Amino acid sequence: MGLAGFGGLSWPAILRLQAQAAAPPARSPTAVIIVWLRGGCSHLDTYDPKPDSGSEYAGPFSPIATKVPGMRLTELLPRQARLADKFTLLRSMAHTGGGHPSGSLQLLSGDPDAQDKIVPVYPDVMSVAHYLRARKTTDLPNYVGVNPIVRYDNFTIAGPGYLGPSYEPFAVVGDPSRPEFKVPNVGLADAAAQDRLQGRVNLRQSLDSFRRAVDDSGVMRAMDQYEAQAMSLLTSPLAARAFDLSQERPEVRERYGLNQWGQQCLMARRLVEAGVEIVTTTFDGPLCGRVANWDDHAVNHNVFDALRFRASYFDQAVSALIEDVYDRGLDKRVLVVVTGEFGRTPRISYVASSGGGVASAPAGTVQPGRDHWPQANSMIWAGGGIATGQVIGATDRRGEEVVERRVGPQDFLATIYRHLGIDYRNVTIPDRAGRPTPIVTDGEAIAELAARA
């Protein structure tokens, strides 16, 4: 009866379940944005070019100089090259998850299993941070997925695992660049709608009054608190503004790109600026090409045509996000990470296309592709007060194996936790049996990414 007055609104129940699971610490002033390249980006054709590796390995893209002496990217990323002093390039991530599910689960949750799983066992870094940083009162969710990291085909590649569904993100789906785009359950359209909602709440409160009078456990008082949070999300001007991209000047929206990826990144910046602490945004869909992801097997895409097609959208969105974080004075507290689950095979494969479309030749046409390669992956880190303008690690002359400063998923997790002020060496969370479980098992935060003094 208590929840029925909300007409099916689920956010209060989520907040109540969250509170039952933990008594959270004080809010941290930090935030993280993870830009996820679903399917795995070719490190050879973006961040780790190997032009002298031979025709069986090297793609058609030329390396270009960047603002950082000695750091070279491919010609696909000229905007990022011009602001390379504002990020650090890590070229030495490696793990054993060769499938999309296992690669994603290894990197995002530290799951050591090399086998794919239908659903996660371990909670991902975003859910753990949400659990540890959850706030009792707020106008905004603490963890938002703007096109969240959730699935790959029928596999769930990220999630709260044994922490339970109350630690999933507040999901924003759809294309924010479209005029009709609207985030549901955030901000009511007019005063009349707010009055109707308040009327439902008042009715529910009247029906519950007799239970409150005999409530020795405090459950009703807690329910009131979390329903108040839901009301805040629905009626708060702060929440409405944070999700409303029309509040931005047209030239700012254009700077990010008037497309899905650009506007996803702009919303991510608005959210962390407003106080959200964990934001993920996935780059997939039509801007990737025919199969709507970065999984550039030859059967899916001509890998080089696909990268050419999506590169301008990717380069513009990421560079605008990084520049904006610095221009708006967010660079000390907001960490931006751009990565996918793994790299791509250095050796180019040639296989018949399974179908024609954007960045893919007609079915039966033999075209180039690159396959899964967890042995080496590149990612960029920006903001967060870290030391930028550097390259960490290296791969061999073909980009096949890490030969310098190898890091793994546990190190990745530890680095994010360190930024968020979470003591990853000592903090534990309860598993399904209630046993304390370390959030990092054998990793250390990447020292070169330590915040500047």
Side-chain angles (χ1 to χ4, degrees):
M1 287 291 288
L3 294 176
F6 276 92
L9 182 68
S10 61
W11 191 239
I14 293 173
L15 293 165
R16 189 170 65 257
L17 287 170
Q18 175 177 300
Q20 291 169 355
R27 177 187 173 196
S28 165
T30 54
V32 62
I33 298 171
I34 298 177
V35 179
W36 186 250
L37 311 180
R38 185 173 73 89
C41 173
S42 169
H43 58 298
L44 282 305
D45 301 299
T46 51
Y47 296 112
D48 193 8
K50 305 289 184 179
D52 301 322
S53 57
S55 59
E56 294 181 86
Y57 297 86
F61 309 119
S62 299
I64 57 173
T66 72
K67 198 168 183 180
V68 175
M71 180 196 295
R72 292 163 73 80
L73 309 180
T74 73
E75 62 187 278
L76 297 178
L77 304 175
R79 294 172 185 258
Q80 293 180 47
R82 289 193 292 270
L83 55 84
D85 60 321
K86 290 183 169 60
F87 64 78
T88 283
L89 171 56
L90 174 69
R91 285 177 168 160
S92 53
M93 171 59 67
H95 57 73
T96 61
H100 296 293
S102 60
S104 303
L105 295 175
Q106 285 205 14
L107 187 62
L108 293 172
S109 72
D111 188 335
D113 195 348
Q115 299 301 310
D116 290 341
K117 296 183 178 69
I118 294 295
V119 295
V121 172
Y122 301 94
D124 61 42
V125 62
M126 301 84 71
S127 302
V128 172
H130 182 27
Y131 171 86
L132 295 170
R133 292 295 182 201
R135 306 192 291 262
K136 289 185 178 180
T137 57
T138 179
D139 287 352
L140 286 164
N142 196 47
Y143 171 22
V144 178
V146 183
N147 190 17
I149 308 171
V150 179
R151 303 191 66 80
Y152 201 102
D153 297 334
N154 63 325
F155 294 88
T156 301
I157 60 171
Y162 49 67
L163 288 178
S166 55
Y167 291 96
E168 293 176 351
F170 181 87
V172 177
V173 297
D175 182 351
S177 70
R178 298 183 66 84
E180 68 274 16
F181 174 80
K182 182 175 176 60
V183 180
N185 295 333
V186 176
L188 295 177
D190 51 43
Q194 293 191 24
D195 289 343
R196 287 194 297 272
L197 176 61
Q198 187 61 57
R200 296 190 187 107
V201 173
N202 292 340
L203 174 60
R204 199 277 302 154
Q205 289 173 341
S206 297
L207 291 170
D208 284 338
S209 61
F210 77 97
R211 286 200 291 168
R212 185 175 293 104
V214 295
D215 179 27
D216 293 329
S217 66
V219 170
M220 290 301 298
R221 290 189 298 274
M223 183 178 293
D224 288 344
Q225 177 183 349
Y226 303 119
E227 288 181 350
Q229 290 182 56
M231 284 288 289
S232 293
L233 185 60
L234 280 168
T235 61
S236 163
L238 172 63
R241 285 195 302 271
F243 286 96
D244 184 3
L245 296 183
S246 69
Q247 300 286 321
E248 293 287 344
R249 299 190 312 276
E251 57 267 31
V252 174
R253 299 195 68 175
E254 291 170 4
R255 178 184 179 191
Y256 277 82
L258 296 177
N259 54 68
Q260 184 170 355
W261 295 353
Q263 300 306 292
Q264 286 177 189
C265 283
L266 177 55
M267 182 174 290
R269 188 271 288 164
R270 289 183 61 82
L271 290 171
V272 296
E273 193 169 40
V276 177
E277 294 181 281
I278 306 137
V279 180
T280 61
T281 187
T282 303
F283 281 9
D284 59 6
L287 297 183
C288 271
R290 181 174 75 93
V291 300
N293 56 47
W294 296 70
D295 193 24
D296 292 329
H297 302 286
V299 296
N300 292 338
H301 288 137
N302 177 314
V303 58
F304 306 123
D305 287 350
L307 288 166
R308 283 191 191 94
F309 173 74
R310 65 180 75 114
S312 62
Y313 308 114
F314 171 66
D315 193 33
Q316 181 175 6
V318 168
S319 60
L321 174 61
I322 294 172
E323 286 178 322
D324 222 7
V325 162
Y326 281 85
D327 290 348
R328 300 178 77 88
L330 301 171
D331 55 291
K332 296 295 189 293
R333 73 175 192 89
V334 178
L335 178 67
V336 178
V337 187
V338 182
T339 186
E341 59 265 43
F342 42 51
R344 311 300 300 187
T345 50
R347 184 186 290 272
I348 302 167
S349 61
Y350 291 88
V351 178
S353 166
S354 60
V358 175
S360 181
T365 305
V366 174
Q367 61 186 8
R370 295 193 192 270
D371 305 316
H372 303 179
W373 195 254
Q375 290 96 315
N377 186 22
S378 295
M379 57 181 64
I380 61 172
W381 304 70
I386 65 171
T388 57
Q390 58 177 325
V391 177
I392 301 173
T395 57
D396 62 25
R397 68 183 187 88
R398 290 175 172 170
E400 293 177 310
E401 302 292 339
V402 172
V403 295
E404 179 184 312
R405 189 60 174 99
R406 179 188 176 106
V407 299
Q410 295 287 334
D411 308 309
F412 175 85
L413 303 179
T415 305
I416 293 176
Y417 289 136
R418 177 181 64 187
H419 170 70
L420 294 173
I422 296 170
D423 182 2
Y424 64 87
R425 295 189 184 95
N426 297 304
V427 167
T428 62
I429 55 176
D431 65 11
R432 286 193 172 89
R435 295 169 299 200
T437 304
I439 60 173
V440 171
T441 54
D442 58 357
E444 285 292 330
I446 300 168
E448 295 90 333
L449 291 174
R452 294 188 298 266

